[in-house]
Amino acid sequence: MPIERVFVAGAGLMGHGIAQVHAAIGKHVTLYEPELQRAQAGKERIAASLDRLVHKGRISGEDREAQLVLIEPTGDPGTVRHADLVVEAVFEDADVKTALWRELDRLAPEQTLFATNTSSISIDRLALAVRPARRALFVGMHFFSPVPVMPLVELIRGSATSDGTEAAIRQLAGELGKQVIVSTDRPGFIVNRILMPFLGEAMRAYEQGVGMAEDIDAGARVGLNHPMGPLELADFIGLDVCLGIMKVLHEGLGGEQFVPPKVLQDLVAEGHLGQKTGRGFYTYPR
Ligand code: 3HC
């Protein structure tokens, strides 16, 4: 079944980027948040990102308009009745995701594909939220931030995911210009299983006073040729998101490398979540 109409649930860091890349290849996108204002804010963020591309001469003003017109913000979950595909990118919490999937399963046509952008939670666990017949259509489709820039999609099959669902997601990822890697349904999948111990170890080095944040980050940027240092990358991803992923990894796999560092737990408890709150390991002008 060709995918033309995409319902993106969640208009935050990941959701707005996922909406943007689908509109960029001509898909009709419904951008959903329970509060309409948040969906509208997601669309404004996309408009600002497209402004940058126009300014750099990467796309024309007409392209910008053509892409924006394809994105419809909504606060009504019932609009999922038009969707060929749902991509869910809400907060990384199994209960939050389960409640949303249960609701969308009631409202969506029976052939609609369900893809979760979870960064660590088991696909089989989330698929329990939908009726058994839908589970063949339920899959993990994990994007990387910033979505318009990072050319990877991690595809995760649950035990019930059908070959047809995998093929449809592969086809779409190809249209989006993303390379697909396939992971089994294990905590953190492939990329976050590799990434989080790296970020965690940088945080432990920081809390033990091994080096200043700037020196730890420069070590990775200059010495390892990473585009960002681990502490600035954690701030960029969101410290609450990193903490949530590390907890899933630690609960599911054990191992000291997955234990969330104390400095991370403290920052999150104080509401310092990184770039999005203006403070994490660094402070950011607002
Ligand atoms: N939308 C569209 N384009 C964007 C963008 C955005 N939000 N942000 C950056 N870009 C584009 C710029 O326009 C620029 O394009 P150009 O080369 O054609 O001019 C290019 O990306 C580079 O951007 P900048 O020059 O502004 O800045 P940098 O060179 O410093 O790159 C970066 C910024 C791409 C974010 C780079 O620092 C980077 O790759 N960082 C690492 C990101 C990363 O590791 N992401 C994965 C996080 S893990 C994850 O998402 C999984 C989750 O489960 C946790």
Side-chain angles (χ1 to χ4, degrees):
M1 182 190 67
I3 295 170
E4 293 305 332
R5 307 188 80 88
V6 182
F7 181 97
V8 178
L13 178 68
M14 298 305 290
H16 91 275
I18 292 169
Q20 180 178 338
V21 295
H22 282 92
I25 59 164
K27 307 293 181 194
H28 291 265
V29 179
T30 306
L31 184 55
Y32 167 69
E33 280 277 353
E35 277 176 50
L36 176 61
Q37 269 186 338
R38 294 175 76 107
Q40 286 166 335
K43 182 166 176 178
E44 279 159 26
R45 221 165 151 180
I46 296 168
S49 174
L50 293 175
D51 280 342
R52 240 175 40 179
L53 295 179
V54 172
H55 187 69
K56 285 189 170 181
R58 300 270 186 274
I59 62 169
S60 67
E62 291 77 40
D63 289 340
R64 175 188 182 276
E65 288 316 305
Q67 292 181 29
L68 280 176
V69 122
L70 291 171
I71 301 170
E72 179 71 37
T74 186
D76 173 12
T79 53
V80 77
R81 66 184 172 276
H82 305 299
D84 303 316
L85 167 73
V86 177
V87 184
E88 167 273 308
V90 301
F91 188 65
E92 187 71 359
D93 177 286
D95 293 338
V96 173
K97 287 181 186 287
T98 294
L100 178 69
W101 278 125
R102 192 169 290 142
E103 182 178 28
L104 296 178
D105 187 38
R106 273 194 291 107
L107 299 168
E110 61 183 21
Q111 72 278 9
T112 300
L113 299 175
F114 277 15
T116 173
N117 179 57
T118 179
S119 40
S120 58
I121 302 168
S122 160
I123 303 306
D124 278 350
R125 177 173 178 189
L126 295 176
L128 287 176
V130 303
R131 68 192 108 143
R134 175 93 65 191
R135 291 180 194 153
L137 306 179
F138 197 99
V139 68
M141 187 181 193
H142 182 207
F143 289 85
F144 294 83
S145 182
V147 178
V149 181
M150 305 301 284
L152 184 71
V153 161
E154 199 172 26
L155 189 155
I156 308 105
R157 285 185 69 144
S159 52
T161 309
S162 70
D163 291 345
T165 301
E166 175 175 340
I169 297 299
R170 278 185 179 278
Q171 156 91 27
L172 177 63
E175 288 176 48
L176 292 167
K178 308 286 188 200
Q179 180 175 336
V180 172
I181 57 171
V182 179
S183 170
T184 56
D185 190 16
R186 300 276 292 145
F189 318 126
I190 294 174
V191 177
N192 279 326
R193 184 170 176 156
I194 301 170
L195 176 63
M196 289 301 151
F198 169 61
L199 301 190
E201 206 48 43
M203 293 174 196
R204 276 183 274 275
Y206 173 79
E207 71 190 6
Q208 290 166 20
V210 176
M212 311 266 287
E214 290 80 359
D215 288 321
I216 292 169
D217 279 340
R221 265 200 326 272
V222 184
L224 302 174
N225 223 3
H226 289 198
M228 279 179 170
L231 301 177
E232 56 180 341
L233 180 56
D235 274 357
F236 173 67
I237 293 169
L239 299 185
D240 52 339
V241 176
C242 292
L243 179 60
I245 299 171
M246 286 184 198
K247 282 181 177 168
V248 171
L249 282 163
H250 188 240
E251 280 161 23
L253 299 171
E256 281 181 15
Q257 70 275 32
F258 299 123
V259 174
K262 182 166 184 315
V263 62
L264 176 65
Q265 301 192 47
D266 290 349
L267 283 166
V268 172
E270 288 158 17
H272 301 314
L273 308 182
Q275 279 189 16
K276 62 188 165 190
T277 59
R279 184 167 161 197
F281 288 95
Y282 298 93
T283 51
Y284 302 87
R286 307 230 72 205

